[in-house]
Amino acid sequence: MDVLKEYDEKMKPLRRIVGVAMEVYNEWGAGLLESAYEAGMKHLLDKDPTIKVERQKPLPMYWKDEQLEDHYRMDLVINDVIVELKACKFVSNEHKRQLHNYMRLTKTTYGLLINFSDKQVFSEAFKLYPDGNIEKVPLKMTYTTED
């Protein structure tokens, strides 16, 4: 299999999740809370028996080696992808850091940041590497050949 086809196969689940987010946005439009978009996405994704969706999945918090009573809550975990949802005007670096921290703490390879803004659905995909670095990855690879 060539490299682009292999990459395309790995990105299919992420593109599917973004497609569901767009479907929810097209139905409801802008101006809702994150929790509404989260509920709509879970509803649509639950219809596919091959997809496991966890909403508001707890992520334990630790102080050194001691587990605390409180925990983080990840918006959606869809199969092996953490999805952080926002409903704001602009995505900030703090929003990205939140997702990156969840990815590192859980050692989850892929994460999506999806923002239901007042004009469109904005999404960014990220990949966690074994060395702990996280990079933005394109959901679709395009290339041209020169004749």
Side-chain angles (χ1 to χ4, degrees):
M1 183 182 290
D2 88 23
V3 175
L4 288 176
K5 285 183 182 175
E6 187 176 319
Y7 184 85
D8 189 55
E9 282 301 310
K10 286 183 182 177
M11 293 300 108
K12 270 186 184 177
L14 280 73
R15 287 195 305 270
R16 169 93 197 286
I17 295 166
V18 172
V20 167
M22 292 170 68
E23 187 175 347
V24 168
Y25 187 83
N26 287 338
E27 179 67 25
W28 288 343
L32 300 176
L33 296 174
E34 286 173 25
S35 58
Y37 297 116
E38 184 181 301
M41 287 182 67
K42 183 172 184 342
H43 173 74
L44 291 177
L45 290 163
D46 276 343
K47 293 180 179 197
D48 184 338
T50 66
I51 296 176
K52 179 182 176 189
V53 182
E54 296 175 271
R55 185 174 175 204
Q56 292 297 308
K57 183 176 181 177
L59 174 60
M61 291 175 60
Y62 292 88
W63 175 257
K64 300 188 181 182
D65 290 333
E66 292 179 64
Q67 186 172 345
L68 304 178
E69 273 184 45
D70 289 344
H71 52 269
Y72 297 106
R73 290 196 176 270
M74 296 180 283
D75 292 337
L76 294 170
V77 178
I78 303 167
N79 290 346
D80 293 324
V81 178
I82 296 173
V83 181
E84 181 61 30
L85 301 178
K86 299 296 174 193
C88 56
K89 202 169 215 173
F90 302 103
V91 171
S92 70
N93 286 333
E94 288 80 16
H95 298 140
K96 293 176 190 179
R97 277 196 293 271
Q98 180 183 8
L99 174 60
H100 294 177
N101 284 329
Y102 290 166
M103 292 170 67
R104 284 188 184 105
L105 289 168
T106 61
K107 296 178 178 34
T108 300
T109 304
Y110 290 102
L112 276 172
L113 177 60
I114 300 175
N115 184 31
F116 296 88
S117 77
D118 58 349
K119 297 187 193 287
Q120 65 184 358
V121 174
F122 168 83
S123 63
E124 285 186 293
F126 297 93
K127 181 177 180 180
L128 171 66
Y129 291 91
D131 65 3
N133 285 325
I134 294 179
E135 290 183 3
K136 183 177 174 183
V137 294
L139 290 175
K140 186 171 185 176
M141 295 290 286
T142 58
Y143 65 97
T144 59
T145 57
E146 295 187 22
D147 295 325

